[in-house]
């Protein structure tokens, strides 16, 4: 009797998994077109909801004016009340305080992040001061530097400097120790390690620190313009508050947000140009 023929192996059936949406991949990418559409939607949606809320008559115009009233106020502000002058002086105050802060905070952060004795000596003090509210310094600032432009710039400096120092120090500490040790093994001096290894490695993170703290500088604008001001976006908001001109309050807040957004995008553009290798 003949033996039965062997049964051939059944080929494995490939199990097809449903492809995962590329949108929800962890740290995945988007096409430029999709990214632009989502950005436009994210910016437009709150304004649409605001307009719809006003169009349905659900708001009290005295406390929450509609987008049309705010836009009309911006036009009148530009034509009659010197909006450009207010924008210019506010930008000057914010940028002056921020740049002075950066010129001192970045070198100090480099020393804090590089040398343990400096960190042990200064970091507790800086940590202590950074929790003090900047608005509490206004009486002292008026006594120290008067009520001119210097006092407003100093308030913005106080609001950003101590945070910037600590963030810059953390950026320096994140430089991999293996890179530093490799440079030392090859005979690099201390200054060469800092100049050729630490700073190039930390520059992208330092630029992000500047971008974030520049945003904080804008948040201190209204506080800074409490000090005997007669111009500026923050002053205009405070003055409108006294007379219940809520449309002008909304206009000033939105203008500060718009200028801050443009500043943020300028930093992002600079980062893409200077550190284009990061994207790869």
């Amino acid at each position: 009797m003949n033996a039965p023929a062997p049964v051939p192996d059944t080929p494995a059936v490939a199990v097809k998994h449903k492809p995962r949406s590329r949108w929800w991949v962890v740290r995945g990418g988007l096409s430029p077109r999709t990214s632009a559409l989502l950005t436009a939607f994210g910016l437009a949606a709150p304004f649409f909801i605001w307009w719809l809320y006003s169009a349905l008559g659900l708001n009290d115009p005295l406390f929450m004016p509609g987008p049309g009233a705010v836009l009309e106020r911006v036009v009148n502000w530009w034509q009659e009340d010197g909006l450009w002058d207010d924008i210019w002086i506010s930008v000057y105050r914010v940028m002056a305080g921020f740049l002075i802060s950066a010129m001192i905070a970045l070198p100090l952060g480099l020393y804090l992040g590089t040398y343990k004795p400096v960190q042990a000596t200064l970091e507790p003090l800086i940590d202590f001061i950074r929790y003090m509210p900047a608005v509490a310094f206004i009486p002292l600032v008026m006594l120290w530097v008067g009520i001119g432009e210097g006092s407003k710039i100093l308030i913005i400096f106080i609001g950003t400097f101590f945070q910037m120092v600590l963030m810059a120090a953390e950026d320096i500490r994140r430089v991999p120790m293996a890179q530093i040790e490799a440079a030392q093994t090859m005979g690099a001096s201390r200054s060469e390690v800092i100049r050729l290894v630490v700073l190039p490695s930390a520059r992208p993170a330092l630029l992000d620190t500047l971008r974030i703290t520049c945003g904080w500088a804008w948040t201190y604008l209204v506080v800074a313009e409490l000090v005997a001001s007669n111009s500026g976006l923050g002053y205009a908001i405070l003055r409108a508050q006294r007379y219940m001109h809520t449309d002008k309050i909304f206009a000033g807040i939105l203008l500060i947000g718009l200028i801050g957004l443009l500043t943020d995008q300028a930093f992002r553009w600079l980062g893409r140009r200077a550190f284009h290798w990061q994207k790869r």
Side-chain angles (χ1 to χ4, degrees), residues 31-41:
S31 67
R33 181 174 179 272
T34 303
S35 181
L37 288 173
L38 290 174
T39 299
F41 173 78

Side-chain angles (χ1 to χ4, degrees), residues 18-238:
K18 186 178 179 180
R20 185 180 297 177
S21 172
R22 292 180 60 191
W23 284 27
W24 306 115
V25 176
V26 176
R27 300 185 70 177
L30 292 175
S31 67
R33 181 174 179 272
T34 303
S35 181
L37 288 173
L38 290 174
T39 299
F41 173 78
L43 289 173
F47 289 96
F48 175 76
I49 295 171
W50 180 21
W51 170 82
L52 184 63
Y53 186 78
S54 303
L56 294 175
L58 301 175
N59 64 315
D60 184 344
L62 179 62
F63 299 105
M64 188 176 182
V70 174
L71 181 60
E72 183 179 355
R73 169 63 73 174
V74 171
V75 173
N76 292 337
W77 193 353
W78 178 273
Q79 294 175 344
E80 301 172 7
D81 295 335
L83 174 58
W84 173 250
D85 293 334
D86 287 332
I87 291 175
W88 159 247
I89 193 63
S90 292
V91 170
Y92 163 73
R93 289 164 180 163
V94 169
M95 289 296 110
F98 168 72
L99 291 175
I100 294 171
S101 176
M103 287 190 292
I104 303 173
L106 292 183
L108 183 56
L110 173 63
Y111 276 92
L112 277 174
T114 303
Y115 300 112
K116 287 293 184 180
V118 180
Q119 178 185 356
T121 303
L122 295 182
E123 192 166 86
L125 175 63
I126 295 172
D127 259 328
F128 172 68
I129 297 175
R130 78 185 177 102
Y131 284 104
M132 299 178 183
V135 67
F137 286 91
I138 289 179
L140 294 174
V141 167
M142 294 174 67
L143 291 173
W144 293 338
V145 297
I147 58 175
E149 290 302 312
S151 59
K152 302 162 185 59
I153 293 170
L154 183 55
I155 288 293
I156 294 173
F157 172 87
I158 292 171
T160 56
F161 171 76
F162 300 100
Q163 311 281 356
M164 193 186 298
V165 169
L166 296 176
M167 291 179 67
E170 284 300 317
D171 294 336
I172 296 298
R173 291 189 196 110
R174 290 194 187 101
V175 175
M177 194 62 195
Q179 296 181 7
I180 297 173
E181 290 173 346
Q184 292 172 335
T185 301
M186 291 186 288
S189 64
R190 185 168 51 190
S191 62
E192 289 174 334
V193 169
I194 294 174
R195 180 167 50 89
L196 301 176
V197 178
V198 174
L199 285 178
S201 181
R203 275 185 301 188
L206 290 172
L207 184 64
D208 273 342
T209 290
L210 291 175
R211 178 175 63 83
I212 294 169
T213 50
C214 186
W216 289 343
W218 277 103
T219 66
Y220 285 104
L221 175 65
V222 177
V223 173
E225 292 183 343
L226 280 171
V227 185
S229 293
N230 56 10
S231 62
L233 294 174
Y235 164 77
I237 291 172
L238 294 169

